Amino acid sequence: MTLQPAANDFDRLFRLYHRDLGAFAYGRLRDSEASSDVVQDAFVRYIAHTRTAREAPEAPRFFLWRIASNLILDLGRRDRRRGRMASLDDVAAELADPTPSVEHQLSAREEYRIFLQALNELPKNQRLALVLNRVEQMTHAEIACRLDVSPSMVNKYIMKALSHCAIRLMQAGR
């Protein structure tokens, strides 16, 4: 019988549940990259929740699966909303005013500044793994080769980087 780890023992929770949670996500999505992203986002949201909630979840495993299920549902909704892809040139005439408001621009700049600051606070490999994955769209295997680490370590780097950035944005009220 395995004892449940403490709700705030994130490293142990990750080691204990990330593989099963990944299999669960893959079973629903049938896409390994999307499954990895769901698992990372689930852990990031779990960590963010436990750091801001009054009480830690009583059943971390159940809570992680619930978060992942909701993320998978959100992906499905997003894909249905997107519908058919069209080029911006094809729909440009239909857009009333594509320019964001001044308030939105200022808010976006502030969020970007906070994000860059958080990114610069990260250790080199965490920062690089996150940028290569989310900006350069590299797979975990490609990043692992580039950083000379295992794909599992890449997953940990990205999860820690996302968690750090999310916490910094939350601390700034974003």
Side-chain angles (χ1 to χ4, degrees):
M1 177 174 146
T2 305
L3 293 175
Q4 279 265 349
N8 60 357
D9 186 355
F10 305 124
D11 188 51
R12 185 156 177 243
L13 283 168
F14 180 78
R15 281 184 276 121
L16 192 59
Y17 297 134
H18 88 279
R19 189 165 293 161
D20 289 342
L21 191 58
F24 168 75
Y26 182 79
R28 296 276 179 93
L29 297 170
R30 297 289 180 214
D31 179 341
S32 60
E33 286 301 310
S35 300
S36 291
D37 290 343
V38 163
V39 171
Q40 288 171 5
D41 290 345
F43 275 98
V44 167
R45 289 182 185 202
Y46 178 88
I47 290 168
H49 173 78
T50 56
R51 289 196 173 156
T52 59
R54 290 180 187 211
E55 294 181 15
E58 288 183 29
R61 184 180 190 281
F62 173 78
F63 196 64
L64 280 165
W65 261 253
R66 172 57 61 199
I67 293 169
S69 294
N70 289 340
L71 289 169
I72 291 167
L73 286 172
D74 289 346
L75 279 175
R77 288 183 192 125
R78 186 194 69 203
D79 290 346
R80 282 192 301 278
R81 271 195 314 268
R82 283 185 178 171
R84 181 182 67 84
M85 296 297 224
S87 76
L88 189 56
D89 294 333
D90 295 340
V91 295
E94 297 174 29
L95 297 173
D97 184 7
T99 308
S101 69
V102 174
E103 294 85 9
H104 183 75
Q105 289 177 4
L106 290 173
S107 177
R109 282 186 191 142
E110 181 62 13
E111 283 183 18
Y112 182 68
R113 185 193 63 74
I114 293 166
F115 175 74
L116 283 181
Q117 183 179 348
L119 203 56
N120 288 327
E121 294 169 355
L122 293 170
K124 179 184 174 189
N125 280 353
Q126 287 180 20
R127 180 178 55 247
L128 191 55
L130 180 63
V131 170
L132 291 174
N133 181 251
R134 298 299 168 106
V135 177
E136 300 296 326
Q137 300 292 308
M138 289 176 70
T139 66
H140 291 200
E142 292 168 334
I143 296 168
C145 287
R146 183 152 175 193
L147 298 180
D148 196 27
V149 297
S150 69
S152 175
M153 183 56 71
V154 169
N155 197 26
K156 288 178 186 177
Y157 284 159
I158 293 170
M159 186 190 85
K160 287 180 180 180
L162 286 171
S163 175
H164 177 77
C165 292
I167 289 168
R168 287 293 185 251
L169 286 167
M170 282 180 10
Q171 288 172 339
R174 302 290 178 179

